[in-house]
Amino acid sequence: MPFAANYRLKYCLVQRPTTMENLTTCLLFPLVCLICSQALLHLRSWLFNKKKLPPGPTGFPIIGNLLAIGDTPHESLAKLAKKHGPLMTVRLGFVPTVVASSAEMAREILQKNDQAFLGRAMPDAVAAEANFELSMVWLQGDTKWIKLRKICNSQMFTTQRLEALQGLRHQMMDTLVLKVVEASETGEAINIGRLVFGTTLSLLSNTMFSADLIDQKSNSIQELKEHVGTILEILGKPNVSDFFPLLKPFDLQGIRRTIKVSYDRLHTLLDEVIDRRLKCRTSASPRCNDFLDALLDHGEEHGPQEFNREDIKILLTDMFIGGTGATTTTVEWAMAELLRNPRIMAKAKQELAKTIGLGLRTIQEKDILRLPYLQSVLKETMRLHPTAPLLLTHRALIDVQVCGHPIPKDTPVIVNAWAIARDPMYWDKPGEFIPERFMAGGSTEVDFRGTNFSFIPFGSGRRICPGLALGVRMLSLLLASLIHLFDWKLPDGMAFDEIDMRGKFGVAMQNPLVVIPNLVVTKANE
């Protein structure tokens, strides 16, 4: 603390503690001085680096371009990119940030210079999670991160293991269909997001540790949905601590305090699961040979220094948050788009009837490859409504040049996947829902693997989503099961074009999709 400020504080506290107003003023004075001095330092650094970084919009003192970003940053940044170019710099408070808004720039960041951009710019909210520094999502592309990726690729998401556990996923689909049939018989309206979340939770739980995380019939399912939803929403919420790092210790918006409750609850549930499994492994109980057994085996083989219980818990937490949130959001958007486009819905149902038949047979993963139009519907949904419109922010680990522009070490870099997926340079009629664009004669080479940089809903390069293969299987099974044997209508006589298609940033639809199913009676199931 500067000497003058320190002296004034001591003088006020000792010599003039006469009023609360004087005391408050004296306590705030050093903080204001510190903030102003930091603002000047950051402004000086910004002016110095401005010549080096890619060009961008001129901002205001201290706050930079924050006012221009607003509540829908993916849309605002897309508009700014049209004026300032596909590689631009915006200043978010004290944080200069580079934004890539074209497929070519995405390729530069995620493929050509992927080693340089393996770092992550971690939101302050993440620090509320116990042992967050072990998370594969937020690790900085170091040795620990490489080891965790290898564990996922070799122990969890291999084709052999996914196929071995598909019977469990088929059972979950049977349960889903029965729930919809029951609702059809009673005329009950179904909250699609809640139904899909519960089923996705069961899918992930049974794939990872051969059991449900919680009782699907209890009220806890809604509690857990709210906790996961809270985590996803807060992580996408603007946080003053991310823009002005000096303010992090104060948590002015209470974001860390709020999100910590949800993280702690999820950790408690996973601790209980791990405890039960460890107890079973010390008894004569048969092995489950699921993800959890594979992770525990790896820990026993390599020792706690490399992979221990906390690593397992954080890894499972990452999978549940990423898997349940993204899957629920995507299926809800897909259903909304299909309901608003009856021609497309009819075409998808026709493909299912021809391939699967009209009986109450479980749709299996082997059927998915024979459903190209359904796959196109999913791709088009994720193009228009990516669950991570700005992906996760990368961070330069070293000084690097991108298209002639120097990007200094530690600079955050955003890839605007939303802007790329709606760019008329790559897509005809980009604002319309047209699954046919992914069919024969269209963009047939575009898949989920991030090799075509105009379509990267799961990311691309070394930091692509590790659960991509499982995620695509789950999405396909869920959507196919919901539309195969059921027609749907909105409650209270609403028309499908009245569905609110606004979305919260990176989370879900503005309003939940609630619809009434009707089981289609056919000769096959009469």
Side-chain angles (χ1 to χ4, degrees), residues 46 49 53-57 65-66 69 77 80 87-100 121 242-243 390 393-395 407-408 410-415:
W46 162 249
N49 287 324
L53 291 165
N65 304 112
L66 284 177
I69 303 304
L77 291 173
L80 289 172
L87 191 71
M88 65 177 179
T89 303
V90 294
R91 188 160 59 88
L92 306 179
F94 289 168
V95 184
T97 303
V98 173
V99 183
D242 294 327
F243 308 136
L390 299 178
T393 305
H394 291 252
R395 183 178 66 85
I407 298 181
D410 293 327
T411 301
V413 178
I414 292 172
V415 177

Side-chain angles (χ1 to χ4, degrees), residues 161 164-165 168-169 171-172 201-213 273 276-277 286-293 320:
R161 188 170 292 279
L165 296 171
L168 291 170
R169 296 190 288 276
Q171 292 176 23
M172 298 303 102
L201 185 67
S202 287
L203 282 167
L204 284 172
S205 298
N206 282 276
T207 299
M208 290 182 182
F209 34 75
S210 306
D212 281 338
L213 183 61
V273 170
R276 288 197 296 268
R277 179 59 57 85
R287 284 174 56 90
C288 296
N289 289 320
D290 50 20
F291 282 4
L292 183 53
D293 266 343
F320 272 105

Side-chain angles (χ1 to χ4, degrees), residues 338-386:
L338 287 171
L339 292 172
R340 285 170 53 87
N341 294 274
R343 179 193 64 81
I344 298 173
M345 172 72 91
K347 191 171 179 178
K349 289 168 70 71
Q350 183 180 17
E351 180 185 63
L352 282 161
K354 182 178 179 180
T355 305
I356 310 297
L358 291 174
L360 286 173
R361 177 174 80 78
T362 302
I363 298 174
Q364 300 182 357
E365 291 179 6
K366 66 181 181 181
D367 299 318
I368 301 304
L369 293 177
R370 300 186 294 144
L371 298 169
Y373 194 71
L374 181 80
Q375 293 293 300
S376 296
V377 168
L378 281 173
K379 291 176 184 177
E380 183 69 345
T381 300
M382 299 186 81
R383 183 189 70 82
L384 276 177
H385 309 287

Side-chain angles (χ1 to χ4, degrees), residues 481-508:
S481 298
L482 286 173
I483 68 175
H484 179 33
L485 294 176
F486 303 98
D487 290 332
W488 300 84
K489 65 179 181 180
L490 293 173
D492 303 321
M494 287 180 59
F496 288 132
D497 58 8
E498 296 180 65
I499 295 175
D500 187 352
M501 297 299 284
R502 294 176 300 163
K504 300 176 184 178
F505 171 64
V507 181

Side-chain angles (χ1 to χ4, degrees), residues 209-250:
F209 34 75
S210 306
D212 281 338
L213 183 61
I214 58 177
D215 181 1
Q216 293 293 303
K217 295 182 180 180
S218 73
N219 293 328
S220 298
I221 187 70
Q222 180 59 22
E223 177 204 356
L224 190 58
K225 183 179 187 298
E226 290 173 357
H227 284 308
V228 173
T230 295
I231 292 170
L232 290 170
E233 186 167 2
I234 288 180
L235 288 178
K237 185 178 181 180
N239 185 354
V240 68
S241 297
D242 294 327
F243 308 136
F244 304 97
L246 177 70
L247 300 178
K248 284 185 179 182
F250 304 102

Side-chain angles (χ1 to χ4, degrees), residues 48-302:
F48 178 76
N49 287 324
K50 191 174 181 181
K51 295 180 181 179
K52 297 182 178 181
L53 291 165
T58 302
F60 292 98
I62 300 180
I63 64 172
N65 304 112
L66 284 177
L67 292 181
I69 303 304
D71 295 331
T72 53
H74 51 304
E75 296 181 23
S76 302
L77 291 173
K79 291 178 182 178
L80 289 172
K82 291 179 180 179
K83 181 178 179 180
H84 298 281
L87 191 71
M88 65 177 179
T89 303
V90 294
R91 188 160 59 88
L92 306 179
F94 289 168
V95 184
T97 303
V98 173
V99 183
S101 303
S102 72
E104 292 74 23
M105 291 302 106
R107 185 187 302 275
E108 290 285 334
I109 302 297
L110 302 176
Q111 185 182 78
K112 292 184 179 179
N113 296 286
D114 65 332
Q115 194 75 40
F117 292 109
L118 278 179
R120 282 284 190 225
M122 187 179 69
D124 181 59
V126 172
E129 181 182 18
N131 297 308
F132 68 91
E133 66 279 0
L134 301 177
S135 169
M136 183 172 63
V137 176
W138 305 110
L139 281 168
Q140 300 302 311
D142 54 12
T143 303
K144 177 76 171 179
W145 174 82
I146 293 172
K147 288 180 179 179
L148 286 175
R149 290 287 299 204
K150 287 182 177 179
I151 291 171
C152 287
N153 293 334
S154 64
Q155 303 294 328
M156 297 176 69
F157 298 120
T158 64
T159 301
Q160 182 180 10
R161 188 170 292 279
L162 289 177
E163 290 181 352
L165 296 171
Q166 64 179 294
L168 291 170
R169 296 190 288 276
H170 295 161
Q171 292 176 23
M172 298 303 102
M173 289 301 99
D174 284 340
T175 302
L176 170 73
V177 170
L178 287 175
K179 287 181 180 179
V180 181
V181 168
E182 291 173 0
S184 174
E185 292 173 347
T186 61
E188 177 187 355
I190 289 179
N191 182 314
I192 292 294
R194 188 176 301 171
L195 174 68
V196 172
F197 177 87
T199 305
T200 302
L201 185 67
S202 287
L203 282 167
L204 284 172
S205 298
N206 282 276
T207 299
M208 290 182 182
F209 34 75
S210 306
D212 281 338
L213 183 61
I214 58 177
D215 181 1
Q216 293 293 303
K217 295 182 180 180
S218 73
N219 293 328
S220 298
I221 187 70
Q222 180 59 22
E223 177 204 356
L224 190 58
K225 183 179 187 298
E226 290 173 357
H227 284 308
V228 173
T230 295
I231 292 170
L232 290 170
E233 186 167 2
I234 288 180
L235 288 178
K237 185 178 181 180
N239 185 354
V240 68
S241 297
D242 294 327
F243 308 136
F244 304 97
L246 177 70
L247 300 178
K248 284 185 179 182
F250 304 102
D251 190 23
L252 295 179
Q253 295 166 258
I255 282 178
R256 283 202 309 273
R257 293 191 296 276
T258 302
I259 201 172
K260 186 178 187 305
V261 174
S262 297
Y263 273 130
D264 288 350
R265 175 57 176 153
L266 189 51
H267 281 201
T268 298
L269 290 169
L270 290 172
D271 269 326
E272 293 171 358
V273 170
I274 295 172
D275 284 338
R276 288 197 296 268
R277 179 59 57 85
L278 289 173
K279 185 176 180 180
C280 287
R281 285 166 69 95
T282 58
S283 67
S285 302
R287 284 174 56 90
C288 296
N289 289 320
D290 50 20
F291 282 4
L292 183 53
D293 266 343
L295 295 177
L296 290 169
D297 288 345
H298 187 85
E300 291 175 359
E301 180 181 351
H302 294 87

